[in-house]
Amino acid sequence: MAKAVLGDVRLHFDELNKLRILDPEVAQQTIELKEECKAFVDKIAEFQKIVGNLIELVDQLAKAAENEKMKAIGARNLLKSIAKQREAQQQQLQALITEKKMQLERYRVEYETLCKIEADQNEFIDQFIFQK
Amino acid sequence: MRLKTSLLKEPKHKELVSCVGWTTADELYSCSDDHHIMKWNLLTSETTQVVKLPDDIYPIDLHWFPKTIGGKKQSQAESFVLTSSDGKFHLITKTGRVEKSIEAHCGAVLAGRWNYEGTALVTVGEDGQIKIWSKSGMLRSTLAQQGTPVYSVAWGPDSEKVLYSSGKQLIIKPLQPNAKVLQWKAHDGVILKLDWNSVNDLILSAGEDCKYKVWDSYGRLLYSSQPHDYPITSVAWAPDGELFAVGSFHTLRLCDKTGWSYALEKPNTGSIFNIAWSIDGTQIAGACGNGHVIFAHVVEQRWEWKNFEITLTKRRTMEVRNVINDAVDLLEFRDRVIKASLNYGHLVVSTSLQCYVFSTKNWNTPLIFDLKEGTVSLILQAERHFLLTDGGGIYLYSYEGRLISSPKFPGMRTDILNAQTVSLSNDTLAIKDKTDEKVIYLFEAMSGKPLGDGKPLTHKTEITEIALDQKGLTNERKIAFIDKNRDLYITSVKRFGKEQKVIKIGTMAHTLAWNDTSNILCGLQDTRFSVWYYPNTVYVDKDLLPKTLYEKDASEFSKNPQIVCFVGNQVTIRRADGSLILLNISPYPAILHEYVSSSKWEDAVRLCRFVKDQTMWACLAAMAVANKDMTTAEIAYASIGDIDKVQYINSIKELPSKESRMAHILLFSGNVQDAEMLLLQAGLTYQAIQININLYNWDRALELAVKHKTHVDTVLGYRQKFLEDFGKKETNKRFLQYAEGLEVDWDKIKAKIEMEIAKERERAAATPAVRASVTVQH
């Protein structure tokens, strides 16, 4: 009876016989919901963190990949230019070799004339001895 | 010889370096597109920034104001001209203060050069104009206007001409208006740089056709290089004109003045836009495209003499190698070696402060004396002394280090003397004048005074090369020279009142050299190598000259070979490609010279008999006549088959008096005037007249006869006989005049002649000093 009266004025008693505005059942469900919500929020936060980490990681990977890609391109270019450099170096060395060759040729000519002089002088000595 | 380069790790300039210039031998200024002017001190290896120019000035070329102005010496250059891309040139002091900026050209000013006296500046620009400015920067004139940008400009040696490029052309324009302009196509590409040396008068040019070329001042090509891989961006003569440097992309080359290359360096420099030689000519600096300034000094020069071989291994160290025993000596110097010369058993080395004299007998104790001015530009040696020239004068030192003399002449410029224009012997010094190239100044070496009457030797055309003989008596000193027409002449240095004959002995001669131990001359004529075993022959018996000559085909030496030296019986020749060629000549003529100089005539004859060579006999004949030893001359002439001359010598021997014989010996050598003078001095008037009659020198004979009032009838008689023989009529007025009223009586004439001869005999008998032999020593 009393319960019905109280129900009319939207007041309730719980198991401990305390006066409640809300129906204890509803209150119970509300609390449960609240707890569930909290758990959900926590989980979501965790998920976000994990995803953030993942993104970061992927970003890092991308950067590394980009770096490697640049390096590869650089290396490829270097490889291409090395050929050119070699060519230039070869050219330089070739020029130096030509220079040395010319010097050698000069020395050869000088040597030849010296040999000729030696022969001349030997002949002269022979002649001299013979005539004496 | 090679270049030792040094390059910093990091460039001091941030942008390309456009130009460099030396102030002293150890200080360099460099300008760059980063607007900085840097100073490089090589002694302390410090580089300091002198000034930062405003951002709109991009330097292109710099040139220091010349050090010596009209004989007044400054210790170092005080200011320089800097041309820039905004059409201005700037006069900037050593401290970096911009004194003046002058609007000069429309477009960039590509080059600016002071003349040698520092009285005028020439600038050229992208607008194709060539402008002359005064010292203070006032415009004097616009010399020329070209359709294309003018990239480079240079002054002629006398500062009277300007050389500039226009496209592929080289143009020499004298400053005087209306004077002839010389212009020629020099390269197949645009000419980027040129230089004109004041000492050897040669022109260098370099262009986008990747070649560098050497020209003489008449525009004749002397050398053209092989094409390089990149355009040649810079060329520069060493101050003494013996070497030049060439710069290109990653390339630095050191070349001989004849064009062939001593050394090639491939430094990491980018293009070398500008090369400057230090004042003493021992190092170069190059302005590099990558912001560097490259330094390179010349090392490993070599000197050879007999068995010694000397190499400059480092800047201050020489290595002496005695080839005979392979002994090696190291010579250390306190300062950098600038010049050296090895000859006559002595090595003379000049460093920046001192002069060292070594004897080849002892390398340990050199004689050292201080120099007044550091930069010695030439060392010449003779047997007894040597010559040094620096900016101030010419100095003769003995090998003991004593200053002997310091010859001077008006208008002397010592900076342009080289071995071709100065010649030294034991008693004489000859210097070719630069202002008037036909003139040779002659000095007594001992006193430094002009020789004889002080008048210089003057030739009819410009002279290119001179050389004095080294041996023999001072009175017989000869000078050989080549003139502009490539003719080779010889003449005596001493002149006794009358003009000495200048006798041509060769044509198409490129180069010549006297032997160091005897008066033998060698030269290259066209494609022949000639040795004049006894050049004095031309004064004795000119017909004999071809017989005293040794000739050899020299076409194997290719174009333009040069004689380096003639020591002992070895001639060293440098071919145009730089290779040395050694030639042996017969040792006998030198021995003959030695015998004759000590009057060992029997030995000389014996030597000739042993050698059995016509050339030797011809030399001996000439030598004997020159020394008036008629016995030897007779033998020698007989051996070469000159019977007419033998007969004449015999007839000389039979002459009654000493004077007559002397006169006839002189006649034999073609010295008619001397012979006549000698006879007249001896009072032998008739003989003098007779000489002239014999030579059909009628006018002179009559003149003498009239003057001495004797034998006029003799002269007339012979003249009549001559005219009758040739069936001619007398046309000579003087003879007609004297023939009037004078009867020619041959009996009388003959009697008179007899009398004269008898008189001469008597006189000769009265002087007992006449020797039985005809040998008459002078």
Side-chain angles (χ1 to χ4, degrees):
Chain A
M1 186 50 210
K3 252 188 184 181
V5 175
L6 282 169
D8 284 348
V9 290
R10 303 202 178 238
L11 287 170
H12 306 279
F13 287 98
D14 63 3
E15 301 98 65
L16 300 171
N17 288 329
K18 282 192 178 166
L19 195 65
R20 297 267 174 178
I21 298 170
L22 214 60
D23 187 354
E25 256 171 62
V26 174
Q28 185 65 36
Q29 277 171 4
T30 309
I31 288 164
E32 272 171 24
L33 181 68
K34 189 184 145 198
E35 246 140 53
E36 256 171 54
C37 275
K38 204 183 165 192
F40 178 71
V41 165
D42 281 353
K43 271 186 188 155
I44 286 286
E46 203 177 329
F47 176 71
Q48 199 169 4
K49 213 169 114 194
I50 290 168
V51 165
N53 274 346
L54 184 71
I55 287 173
E56 212 169 281
L57 209 74
V58 167
D59 269 358
Q60 269 175 13
L61 272 177
K63 220 180 244 172
E66 195 67 25
N67 264 346
E68 286 305 312
K69 218 161 82 185
M70 284 315 276
K71 261 187 203 162
I73 292 172
R76 201 181 295 155
N77 283 349
L78 211 65
L79 196 69
K80 270 186 204 160
S81 75
I82 276 267
K84 269 186 190 160
Q85 251 181 46
R86 277 278 151 76
E87 212 172 285
Q89 245 170 18
Q90 201 179 357
Q91 222 174 38
Q92 287 192 4
L93 290 174
Q94 203 62 48
L96 288 172
I97 290 171
T98 320
E99 192 68 18
K100 294 274 181 241
K101 267 190 184 157
M102 271 160 73
Q103 186 59 38
L104 180 70
E105 174 63 18
R106 285 199 279 268
Y107 283 138
R108 194 190 58 76
V109 170
E110 193 177 342
Y111 176 71
E112 261 174 26
T113 61
L114 282 169
C115 282
K116 217 164 132 192
I117 284 192
E118 193 189 1
D120 277 359
Q121 282 179 346
N122 278 335
E123 194 187 335
F124 177 81
I125 291 168
D126 287 347
Q127 223 174 28
F128 200 74
I129 293 167
F130 177 70
Q131 280 194 356
K132 282 261 157 138
Chain B
M1 208 180 292
R2 65 181 187 91
L3 285 172
K4 198 171 161 194
T5 58
S6 66
L7 207 56
L8 293 178
K9 279 210 182 76
E10 288 299 316
K12 289 278 179 190
H13 285 288
K14 288 180 208 73
E15 298 278 334
L16 68 86
V17 183
S18 52
C19 45
V20 287
W22 296 85
T23 49
T24 61
D26 301 295
E27 194 181 63
L28 181 93
Y29 277 54
S30 66
C31 299
S32 155
D33 270 8
D34 61 6
H35 312 290
H36 289 291
I37 300 180
M38 296 274 204
K39 183 161 85 173
W40 305 69
N41 190 329
L42 299 190
L43 294 176
T44 56
S45 320
E46 269 174 11
T47 312
T48 46
Q49 182 187 324
V50 178
V51 69
K52 184 178 185 302
L53 297 168
D55 276 347
D56 54 339
I57 298 182
Y58 287 91
I60 294 181
D61 190 23
L62 82 77
H63 192 220
W64 281 94
F65 192 75
K67 262 169 89 174
T68 44
I69 322 148
K72 224 181 2 176
K73 269 179 275 143
Q74 283 174 293
S75 58
Q76 49 181 278
E78 287 301 323
S79 71
F80 61 92
V81 59
L82 183 79
T83 69
S84 62
S85 57
D86 57 356
K88 288 182 184 163
F89 70 82
H90 315 271
L91 300 176
I92 301 176
T93 63
K94 208 166 174 291
T95 52
R97 195 158 56 87
V98 180
E99 299 248 291
K100 247 180 203 170
S101 288
I102 293 142
E103 194 75 46
H105 289 269
C106 181
V109 186
L110 295 173
R113 282 280 170 278
W114 291 107
N115 70 358
Y116 291 99
E117 290 82 33
T119 51
L121 171 75
V122 61
T123 61
V124 293
E126 275 182 330
D127 56 359
Q129 289 189 331
I130 292 98
K131 288 182 172 174
I132 309 283
W133 307 79
S134 75
K135 191 179 158 186
S136 55
M138 300 284 285
L139 180 64
R140 286 225 186 105
S141 63
T142 301
L143 192 67
Q145 165 78 58
Q146 296 297 322
T148 52
V150 177
Y151 285 101
S152 193
V153 69
W155 286 94
D158 47 6
S159 298
E160 295 279 310
K161 288 175 189 159
V162 170
L163 166 74
Y164 56 89
S165 68
S166 171
K168 300 167 184 177
Q169 309 266 330
L170 279 180
I171 301 162
I172 297 179
K173 191 172 168 66
L175 289 189
Q176 289 148 334
N178 307 327
K180 210 179 125 232
V181 177
L182 191 64
Q183 175 170 359
W184 71 95
K185 180 173 181 262
H187 284 263
D188 294 326
V190 174
I191 296 169
L192 298 176
K193 259 296 192 297
L194 48 85
D195 197 8
W196 195 347
N197 188 261
S198 63
V199 178
N200 58 22
D201 204 12
L202 297 179
I203 292 168
L204 267 177
S205 65
E208 283 191 340
D209 60 352
C210 307
K211 287 180 185 173
Y212 58 88
K213 297 184 179 185
V214 186
W215 311 84
D216 70 3
S217 55
Y218 306 105
R220 282 180 299 210
L221 181 67
L222 300 181
Y223 181 83
S224 171
S225 78
Q226 292 295 314
H228 289 60
D229 300 326
Y230 301 98
I232 311 283
T233 44
S234 52
V235 283
W237 278 110
D240 65 357
E242 291 296 319
L243 299 169
F244 65 85
V246 176
S248 174
F249 180 73
H250 282 346
T251 304
L252 189 61
R253 207 182 254 285
L254 179 72
C255 300
D256 187 73
K257 67 174 173 189
T258 49
W260 59 278
S261 133
Y262 275 108
L264 173 71
E265 291 292 328
K266 288 278 185 182
N268 207 359
T269 54
S271 287
I272 297 176
F273 289 112
N274 191 312
I275 295 177
W277 282 84
S278 68
I279 317 283
D280 57 10
T282 58
Q283 55 188 335
I284 54 176
C288 309
N290 58 4
H292 274 294
V293 171
I294 188 170
F295 290 94
H297 60 255
V298 181
V299 289
E300 289 183 15
Q301 285 116 304
R302 281 159 54 86
W303 295 268
E304 277 175 34
W305 183 75
K306 292 202 169 159
N307 52 330
F308 292 101
E309 213 177 69
I310 298 180
T311 314
L312 184 71
T313 48
K314 284 183 214 145
R315 269 189 274 193
R316 297 190 187 88
T317 315
M318 276 183 171
E319 189 188 274
V320 182
R321 180 180 290 275
N322 185 342
V323 186
I324 289 178
N325 54 14
D326 250 344
V328 174
D329 289 273
L330 277 184
L331 313 180
E332 299 274 347
F333 301 95
R334 225 173 59 190
D335 308 292
R336 194 174 46 236
V337 171
I338 292 175
K339 285 261 169 202
S341 168
L342 173 68
N343 211 340
Y344 296 105
H346 288 90
L347 170 71
V348 182
V349 180
S350 78
T351 67
S352 45
L353 295 171
Q354 289 166 317
C355 180
Y356 293 71
V357 182
F358 294 88
S359 162
T360 52
K361 293 188 192 94
N362 179 7
W363 295 106
N364 297 324
T365 46
L367 188 117
I368 305 170
F369 60 89
D370 288 344
L371 290 168
K372 283 179 200 147
E373 200 185 336
T375 46
V376 168
S377 58
L378 178 71
I379 303 175
L380 267 189
Q381 287 181 269
E383 197 184 352
R384 286 190 210 139
H385 42 242
F386 63 94
L387 171 145
L388 295 180
T389 66
D390 61 17
I394 302 171
Y395 308 99
L396 254 84
Y397 287 94
S398 69
Y399 287 114
E400 288 80 49
R402 188 169 50 83
L403 179 68
I404 299 173
S405 63
S406 161
K408 279 186 189 70
F409 60 87
M412 181 171 80
R413 263 182 72 187
T414 52
D415 53 330
I416 50 170
L417 297 176
N418 64 5
Q420 273 77 50
T421 54
V422 187
S423 185
L424 181 70
S425 73
N426 277 341
D427 42 51
T428 316
L429 169 70
I431 302 170
K432 192 189 85 174
D433 192 9
K434 191 72 191 178
T435 45
D436 183 1
E437 303 218 50
K438 296 169 187 166
V439 172
I440 302 171
Y441 288 100
L442 298 161
F443 299 95
E444 263 175 51
M446 285 304 141
S447 61
K449 291 199 179 83
L451 205 71
D453 53 4
K455 265 193 225 144
L457 186 109
T458 310
H459 188 56
K460 49 186 190 292
T461 47
E462 284 84 352
I463 295 162
T464 57
E465 191 171 342
I466 61 174
L468 285 168
D469 65 354
Q470 297 295 325
K471 284 281 168 168
L473 301 168
T474 309
N475 280 339
E476 287 166 10
R477 185 68 53 235
K478 299 275 187 298
I479 184 166
F481 58 87
I482 299 176
D483 72 4
K484 204 178 82 179
N485 302 330
R486 295 275 151 212
D487 289 332
L488 173 60
Y489 291 87
I490 189 166
T491 186
S492 174
V493 162
K494 289 262 170 178
R495 26 217 56 231
F496 309 98
K498 70 186 167 76
E499 200 59 28
Q500 271 287 356
K501 276 182 285 182
V502 179
I503 299 174
K504 183 162 134 183
I505 55 170
T507 52
M508 303 274 290
H510 318 291
T511 168
L512 79 167
W514 285 97
N515 186 251
D516 65 333
T517 47
S518 51
N519 286 340
I520 299 174
L521 178 71
C522 73
L524 283 160
Q525 305 186 66
D526 197 15
T527 58
R528 283 165 302 137
F529 168 72
S530 315
V531 182
W532 289 265
Y533 283 134
Y534 188 58
N536 198 26
T537 312
V538 289
Y539 287 101
V540 178
D541 185 352
K542 214 180 166 192
D543 314 334
L544 215 53
L545 186 72
K547 287 186 184 165
T548 62
L549 198 63
Y550 167 75
E551 288 207 319
K552 188 178 176 332
D553 182 46
S555 47
E556 55 176 315
F557 304 158
S558 70
K559 215 178 102 190
N560 275 331
Q562 292 289 321
I563 296 177
V564 181
C565 62
F566 185 10
V567 175
N569 49 25
Q570 222 161 60
V571 186
T572 312
I573 295 170
R574 202 181 270 286
R575 260 177 17 178
D577 67 353
S579 44
L580 286 173
I581 291 179
L582 288 102
L583 283 177
N584 230 3
I585 61 158
S586 158
Y588 295 124
I591 304 172
L592 190 67
H593 269 279
E594 213 168 282
Y595 281 144
V596 169
S597 62
S598 49
S599 294
K600 290 180 184 157
W601 294 105
E602 288 83 9
D603 289 340
V605 172
R606 211 173 302 132
L607 177 72
C608 287
R609 285 202 174 118
F610 172 74
V611 180
K612 296 191 203 71
D613 182 18
Q614 291 286 303
T615 322
M616 289 286 282
W617 282 117
C619 289
L620 181 63
M623 287 169 181
V625 175
N627 290 290
K628 311 203 166 48
D629 188 298
M630 295 329 261
T631 331
T632 314
E634 195 187 337
I635 301 169
Y637 274 115
S639 302
I640 52 172
D642 274 355
I643 304 304
D644 48 340
K645 282 170 186 157
V646 177
Q647 289 232 318
Y648 189 65
I649 292 168
N650 274 330
S651 75
I652 292 175
K653 278 187 182 174
E654 278 152 24
L655 285 172
S657 75
K658 183 182 151 194
E659 287 83 3
S660 281
R661 282 195 293 268
M662 279 294 292
H664 278 268
I665 292 169
L666 283 172
L667 264 187
F668 185 88
S669 321
N671 294 332
V672 182
Q673 270 185 338
D674 287 351
E676 186 196 287
M677 203 157 23
L678 190 92
L679 287 171
L680 289 175
Q681 271 166 5
L684 301 169
T685 320
Y686 158 70
Q687 278 79 355
I689 294 168
Q690 188 64 43
I691 284 175
N692 281 312
I693 292 172
N694 289 348
L695 290 168
Y696 301 109
N697 201 352
W698 299 111
D699 283 323
R700 178 71 185 153
L702 187 66
E703 195 188 315
L704 281 175
V706 172
K707 195 173 152 197
H708 294 275
K709 298 194 180 61
T710 168
H711 286 287
V712 178
D713 54 344
T714 318
V715 178
L716 289 173
Y718 275 106
R719 172 79 175 177
Q720 266 180 12
K721 206 169 154 196
F722 160 75
L723 290 172
E724 272 166 30
D725 286 352
F726 286 85
K728 280 189 186 167
K729 281 244 161 189
E730 182 64 84
T731 50
N732 193 321
K733 273 185 188 155
R734 290 196 61 190
F735 276 92
L736 283 170
Q737 181 196 335
Y738 284 103
E740 264 174 45
L742 202 87
E743 201 61 39
V744 178
D745 183 351
W746 273 105
D747 294 336
K748 234 162 105 185
I749 291 171
K750 272 185 187 144
K752 247 166 109 177
I753 291 172
E754 286 292 326
M755 205 175 75
E756 289 281 0
I757 291 170
K759 217 159 81 187
E760 193 189 335
R761 248 191 213 113
E762 267 170 42
R763 255 181 48 134
T767 43
V770 178
R771 276 167 284 170
S773 131
V774 199
T775 314
V776 186
Q777 293 299 333
H778 202 37

